[in-house]
Amino acid sequence: MTLPAIPADARLYLRPTWFVPSPIGLPDGSVARMGNGLIWFQGYEVSAFAGRDRVARVTVPVAGFADAIASLPDVLAERAQALSANISATRAPLMLGERTIRFDAPQVMAILNVTPDSFSDGGKHVGEPQAAADAGFAMAAAGAALIDVGGESTRPRADKVWEGDEIARIAPVIERLAAAGVPVSVDTRKAAVMEAALAAGAKIVNDVSALAHDPRSMEVVAGAGCPVILMHAPSAGDDPHDNPAGYGDVVADVFDHLEGRIAACLDAGIARDRIMVDPGLGFGKSLADNLALVNGLATFQALGVPLLFAGSRKRLIGALSNEAPAADRLGGSIALAFRAAQLGAQMVRVHDVKESVQALHLWRGLADAGLSAI
């Protein structure tokens, strides 16, 4: 097939679609694999934008992809080929000392807040590092591959925390978890906190500003050689939710931002196999934006790095559930985690570990059954 005329300076994106349970029995070349996981698909949705205007949106079979992109201007054909290669590229495992996290099936990151004011569980473990660490041990025992420890709330209009206070909250917890061999990431956007957390035994930096809030953070992560999770937020300032300009197409705009931050990390000496991304559900985004991000989640596979999805107890669940409070959003959280797995997320960030692990076990069982069906 031939694609419609697209100007050479357009922004082009690919989204895997037409999913199939197995490549078995299908013609050679008609199916592509997403990363090294258990998801196969038969089509790419090709979208192009000029400014904020969509100028093309067409679905191309995998079997006809090479012929279709040959009709594009050379620069766009090269980009389409690179995006396609990224979608199917192997996601390297995270090597965390003696622990390895593989991405052939979705993994669970557990949320461990040591804050007085987080939107869901603020105050639960403040001032009690052993109790917080015990909660982390329970999460690991329930199947979490990684414990994400945070000492500053990033809810809308949250008070800014002095880095010394943030370190005092998280360092004793991280030390206890790391001493027992539990893999830990630190949820922070401050370079000094990153340094203290890594010294305490954290292995990964998870930054809601994608290393843009603190001018030293890129240097710290590059120097440490540790993995980093780059999350999209519309502002790198004190309030990550600040977004007066809004979005044109939220999926394309978030993709562009994360693509730029990956490039900045590579320029700073951070290896691609040390990078993950998170589209930042709920950060400066409306209900419509959040739903579009979930539905378009597979698009982010074209960044070529593991994808983290964090939908647990988020506001969109309450908005669709008669304003259910955060503590009553388990069903929606599980539904979002399962949907994210279906669309290729390599990791989900959750509050409710046992239930989420069980849901992903079911997803894996269904995927295995689909693969073995004749």
Side-chain angles (χ1 to χ4, degrees), residues 119-350:
F119 84 97
S120 176
D121 56 357
K124 192 173 181 180
H125 303 299
V126 173
E128 298 182 12
Q130 187 58 54
D134 287 344
F137 293 137
M139 292 170 174
L146 188 63
I147 310 299
D148 193 40
V149 179
E152 179 187 44
S153 173
T154 50
R155 62 179 174 79
R157 297 173 295 280
D159 293 333
K160 189 173 182 180
V161 178
W162 176 54
E163 59 192 26
D165 288 339
E166 191 174 341
I167 291 169
R169 290 173 180 175
I170 66 169
V173 181
I174 293 173
E175 287 171 354
R176 287 166 167 81
L177 292 171
V182 175
V184 177
S185 59
V186 59
D187 178 7
T188 187
R189 51 188 175 164
K190 301 186 184 77
V193 181
M194 295 174 192
E195 290 172 322
L198 293 170
K203 300 297 185 183
I204 300 175
V205 168
N206 179 18
D207 185 352
V208 299
S209 77
L211 301 182
H213 177 75
D214 188 322
R216 275 205 317 118
S217 59
M218 187 76 75
E219 174 188 345
V220 168
V221 171
C226 65
V228 62
I229 300 169
L230 307 174
M231 196 200 82
H232 172 272
S235 172
D238 288 344
D239 183 0
H241 299 266
D242 187 29
N243 187 24
Y247 302 99
D249 180 275
V250 66
V251 175
D253 291 350
V254 172
F255 188 99
D256 290 347
H257 178 90
L258 292 174
E259 190 174 34
R261 296 311 297 163
I262 291 171
C265 286
L266 296 176
D267 289 344
I270 299 172
R272 177 175 284 274
D273 64 4
R274 304 271 85 187
I275 299 172
M276 295 179 66
V277 292
D278 174 353
L281 198 76
F283 279 75
K285 300 171 181 77
S286 68
L287 174 61
D289 293 332
N290 287 321
L291 294 174
L293 276 179
V294 175
N295 283 332
L297 199 62
T299 305
F300 298 101
Q301 294 296 328
L303 291 168
V305 298
L307 174 66
L308 171 69
F309 177 80
S312 181
R313 301 187 188 176
K314 288 287 177 77
R315 174 72 185 83
L316 83 158
I317 301 170
L320 297 174
S321 308
N322 297 317
E323 301 302 327
D328 293 337
R329 297 174 185 170
L330 174 59
S333 299
I334 297 300
L336 283 175
F338 196 93
R339 181 62 172 157
Q342 285 181 316
L343 296 176
Q346 280 81 19
M347 182 173 282
V348 293
R349 183 176 183 268
V350 305

Side-chain angles (χ1 to χ4, degrees), residues 43-60:
Y44 297 99
E45 182 186 87
V46 181
S47 294
F49 292 84
R52 289 197 167 197
D53 297 325
R54 188 191 296 270
V55 296
R57 183 178 185 178
V58 60
T59 301
V60 178

Side-chain angles (χ1 to χ4, degrees), residues 84-115:
S84 173
N86 280 347
I87 290 168
S88 295
T90 297
R91 299 320 191 243
L94 294 180
M95 311 301 292
L96 308 177
E98 296 180 355
R99 303 295 293 270
T100 299
I101 299 177
R102 304 185 185 281
F103 295 119
D104 52 351
Q107 302 282 355
V108 168
M109 169 193 276
I111 300 167
L112 182 56
N113 289 321
V114 194
T115 59

